[in-house]
Every structure is written in C-alpha cells, then in structure tokens.
C-alpha cells in the first residue's frame, strides 16, 4: 500500500468510533483509525492514572490494518 494510507483517514470514515460492550458493565471498545502503538500506549498509560478506570488496554488487529482497538472499563 501507498505510504500516505497509513496516516490519511479516508473520506466518510470516522477517526474514532465507539462500541459499547454488552457483556461487561461499564466497558467499551474505541476504534481509532490510522494510529499505531505510539498513541495506543500513551492513551493506555494516561487512563491507568485515573482511579475510576478498572481496565485499559489496546491492540493492533493486524499489521496491515492501520487502526488500534482501545478497550476501557470504568467503575461507573
């Protein structure tokens, strides 16, 4: 793929999307398009500083998919 495809969000695609978890209370998954480990780790570490956050983690689904999945669970 072309190099700019890693950074430029295509037209009609949201930068951040939100999906609520139906099985775990107060949990959700955020999909951040066109980002990698740099932003994922920074956001995860900042969320761990908050006392209301029970869990915060991220993953890259595949090296050729330019997005991260950020999973967060809070107390309320």
């Amino acid at each position: 793929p072309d190099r700019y495809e890693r950074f430029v969000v295509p037209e009609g695609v949201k930068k951040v999307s939100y999906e609520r978890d139906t099985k775990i209370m107060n949990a959700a998954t955020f999909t951040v398009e066109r980002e990698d480990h740099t932003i994922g780790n920074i956001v995860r570490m900042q969320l761990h500083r908050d006392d209301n956050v029970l869990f915060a983690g991220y993953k890259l689904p595949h090296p050729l998919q330019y997005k991260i999945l950020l999973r967060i669970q809070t107390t309320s």
Side-chain angles (χ1 to χ4, degrees):
D2 290 328
R3 190 174 190 134
Y4 73 89
E5 288 183 14
R6 293 182 186 170
F7 308 107
V8 178
V9 179
E11 206 171 308
V13 176
K14 291 183 179 182
K15 178 72 174 177
V16 179
S17 61
Y18 166 82
E19 184 179 338
R20 196 170 175 171
D21 193 336
T22 57
K23 296 179 182 177
I24 301 173
M25 292 283 292
N26 302 324
T29 301
F30 293 87
T31 303
V32 185
E33 295 289 337
R34 301 305 193 249
E35 295 296 345
D36 58 2
H37 289 287
T38 304
I39 294 297
N41 199 34
I42 290 170
V43 172
R44 181 185 63 84
M45 291 302 294
Q46 285 299 112
L47 286 168
H48 278 273
R49 292 181 177 186
D50 190 339
D51 294 332
N52 294 321
V53 175
L54 297 175
F55 176 81
Y58 77 95
K59 69 176 181 176
L60 272 79
H62 190 274
L64 294 177
Q65 291 179 348
Y66 306 115
K67 65 181 176 182
I68 60 170
L69 301 176
L70 182 66
R71 185 150 177 99
I72 304 169
Q73 183 182 9
T74 60
T75 56
S76 61

